[in-house]
Amino acid sequence: MPAGPAPFCIRPRGVLRGAVLTLVFTGVLATAAATGALPRQESAGAERRAPVRAPGGATVDGAALSRAAAAAMADGKSGKQAAEEFVSRSGDRWGAVYDKKEYAEFEQALDGAYTGVGLSAGRSGEGGVRVTRVRPGGPAERAGLRAGDRLVSVDGRSVEGLSVSEVVSLLRGDGVPGSAVELRVGRGRAVWTQRLRRARLATDPVTVRRLDDGAVLIRVAAFTKGAGTRVRDAVRAAPAGAGVLLDLRGNSGGLVEEAAVAASAFLDGGLVATYDVDGEQRAVYAEGGGDTGRPLVALIDGGTMSAAELLTGALQDRGRAVTVGSRTFGKGSVQMPSALPDGSVAELTVGHYRTPAGHAVDGRGIMPDLAAGDGAEERARTVLSGLGGGS
């Protein structure tokens, strides 16, 4: 399945009155939700490749898509299939169509609970499908599966030629806890069959721990519902003077309003991002009262996407954080849901967002202030200590 992102309302300062939108890397977060792998990564199960913008930044006409779906239904065809073909021809890199069940499942996933086997699937460089992450404590980990394993088939169906979303649909099955799924898995030269039972998996997108030097590490795996408040509460509970290491590596994004709340933990109001919807310029603001003095370092990498990039751009442009790591993924497009006549939902690209300084993110990503590879966390801690954030 892929399941589409749930809509939400941006409410700060009355911006975007009455409208709903999401800023979600649908091919990543939806995959994670479907497999029960959030938080996880990105990393939740994403393809590590540069996004491709729609030609000329073009967007899909929702009304035209709805008419195409209605016409197909009148001819006795599938409205969803017609909509998928329409979106495919449009060149909308991030556009996708979901049936009613898939969309409902993703909305549920954003609440932080999933039925799945606890693995994330992504496209490999050779064109196959690999396990990108295994959720601790889930059925896949208990069975001994590892990140990097190849998926050969699911319930006897070869995954060759299937999209990641189609593979996810097979893994997801009927979404009933306890139902069985049989995987054909490869590792090196070995290939074997593994039978798993799907389970209901609760996830925690935000984890907080105190470091040896007194600083506080806040890791945000995804901006699902409540994640922004968790970040803000963690900052407020941190000891006076303690620095914060905000780990956004592998964060696949999520809800813009949650990223804005997280930004409010470190900013005293002001601009978080601007974006356009069908050519109309709009904005997202942080709430006032954030901690603007506490030393802050943000860790980012190629798995930092979407709403996580929005937060990164705000903290970087406004001089609130030193960013350490590697270039972010570069997913800066805005999708809005459109209901189709058969009850399915199309997520269509309607615009793109920019950081407070006006930098475009889509297809470009955000460069860190300080580049770091494998030793990024250690380097970030050194920087934080230099800012006075450690003991």
Side-chain angles (χ1 to χ4, degrees):
M1 143 207 103
F8 71 96
C9 295
I10 294 181
R11 298 185 180 86
R13 301 191 181 181
V15 176
L16 192 58
R17 295 179 180 86
V20 293
L21 64 87
T22 53
L23 183 58
V24 183
F25 177 29
T26 52
V28 179
L29 192 54
T31 299
T35 57
L38 263 174
R40 58 334 178 130
Q41 166 192 211
E42 115 180 325
S43 180
E47 305 166 277
R48 294 297 189 91
R49 63 185 182 189
V52 180
R53 290 188 60 180
T59 58
V60 180
D61 185 329
L65 185 149
S66 185
R67 289 194 297 270
M73 293 175 63
D75 291 337
K77 301 176 182 178
S78 165
K80 179 188 176 186
Q81 184 177 6
E84 289 173 337
E85 293 174 353
F86 187 99
V87 172
S88 178
R89 290 194 303 269
S90 74
D92 186 346
R93 172 67 176 87
W94 306 108
V97 183
Y98 313 104
D99 64 30
K100 189 174 181 179
K101 178 176 179 290
E102 291 168 348
Y103 199 77
E105 286 171 346
F106 190 80
E107 287 185 306
Q108 188 178 49
L110 285 175
D111 287 327
Y114 315 87
T115 298
V117 297
L119 65 80
S120 303
R123 185 67 61 190
S124 70
E126 298 78 27
V129 176
R130 290 186 179 273
V131 175
T132 56
R133 178 160 295 197
V134 177
R135 184 187 187 279
E141 186 195 50
R142 292 196 298 271
L145 270 64
R146 306 174 190 168
D149 288 345
R150 304 187 310 276
L151 285 181
V152 179
S153 67
V154 179
D155 280 337
R157 182 176 177 182
S158 172
V159 302
E160 184 177 355
L162 298 183
S163 67
V164 173
S165 295
E166 289 171 321
V167 174
V168 166
S169 182
L170 294 175
L171 290 169
R172 174 69 173 160
D174 55 12
V176 177
S179 60
V181 58
E182 192 171 90
L183 307 183
R184 189 73 173 161
V185 182
R187 181 184 301 160
R189 295 184 178 180
V191 180
W192 73 97
T193 298
Q194 188 75 55
R195 185 179 176 85
L196 303 176
R197 290 198 175 276
R198 300 178 179 95
R200 192 68 171 163
L201 303 170
T203 63
D204 188 354
V206 180
T207 55
V208 183
R209 66 185 177 91
R210 190 81 179 270
L211 301 177
D212 294 339
D213 61 2
V216 177
L217 172 64
I218 303 175
R219 168 159 172 71
V220 188
F223 284 107
T224 51
K225 293 177 182 177
T229 299
R230 290 282 306 279
V231 171
R232 189 169 57 188
D233 290 347
V235 173
R236 290 174 176 172
V244 170
L245 183 58
L246 181 65
D247 191 350
L248 299 176
R249 292 174 298 177
N251 184 312
S252 59
L255 300 173
V256 172
E257 67 175 3
E258 295 297 339
V261 173
S264 300
F266 307 103
L267 301 171
D268 187 14
L271 188 63
V272 173
T274 59
Y275 60 96
D276 58 281
V277 174
D278 295 331
E280 180 182 345
Q281 294 298 309
R282 303 180 184 183
V284 180
Y285 294 93
E287 298 174 5
D291 188 331
T292 61
R294 189 185 299 274
L296 174 64
V297 172
L299 270 167
I300 57 176
D301 68 2
T304 304
M305 308 175 181
S306 191
E309 291 178 282
L310 181 152
L311 173 59
T312 300
L315 297 177
Q316 186 182 65
D317 281 4
R318 296 185 58 181
R320 182 59 188 91
V322 176
T323 54
V324 177
S326 55
R327 184 195 296 269
T328 62
F329 188 87
K331 197 281 182 178
S333 60
V334 179
Q335 280 74 48
M336 290 184 71
S338 295
L340 302 178
D342 64 351
S344 57
V345 177
E347 285 282 346
L348 307 177
T349 299
V350 295
H352 300 84
Y353 77 79
R354 292 178 177 271
T355 67
H359 301 302
V361 174
D362 202 56
R364 302 179 182 182
I366 297 173
M367 289 296 295
D369 298 313
L370 182 62
D374 293 339
E377 183 170 335
E378 181 179 353
R379 195 162 191 184
R381 292 176 66 168
T382 300
V383 172
L384 187 61
S385 177
L387 295 174
S391 58

